[in-house]
Amino acid sequence: MSHQTETHYCSACDADTSHVLVLVRKESPYKSAENRKTKEFLAGLFKGMAVGPFIASMDEFERHLICEKCGNKIIED
Ligand SMILES: [Zn+2]
């Protein structure tokens, strides 16, 4: 799978750091209640930002952003 890097804010580093972007196809989006709760929170969070069309086009994928400094993972979907 191809991947690239993007600069994102890392809460663990408390700084903007380089993150490896990995696109992961969703298999079972709402596998568990806990999972759904997190996803709904994230969905609401990101739909509140000006990225609606991009999110819609990437509907089948999660964006995993992994901090190259500390390995902290951010999951966007
Ligand atoms: Zn970090």
Side-chain angles (χ1 to χ4, degrees):
M1 177 177 283
S2 64
H3 61 266
Q4 62 191 79
T5 59
E6 293 183 4
T7 301
H8 281 269
Y9 175 74
C10 174
S11 57
C13 294
D14 191 25
D16 288 331
T17 62
S18 182
H19 286 66
V20 177
L21 170 64
V22 182
L23 293 179
V24 180
R25 182 180 289 276
K26 296 178 184 177
E27 294 180 6
S28 181
Y30 301 136
K31 194 180 297 180
S32 70
E34 186 178 342
N35 202 24
R36 181 168 63 186
K37 191 175 181 181
T38 303
K39 287 183 179 300
E40 285 176 348
F41 170 76
L42 289 173
L45 183 67
F46 287 106
K47 280 173 184 168
M49 300 165 71
V51 291
F54 178 74
I55 292 294
S57 69
M58 298 300 291
D59 206 31
E60 293 183 33
F61 295 90
E62 291 180 338
R63 285 160 46 85
H64 289 210
L65 294 157
I66 303 163
C67 177
E68 288 190 325
K69 280 191 174 178
C70 71
N72 185 47
K73 185 192 285 184
I74 303 168
I75 299 175
E76 299 178 345
D77 68 354

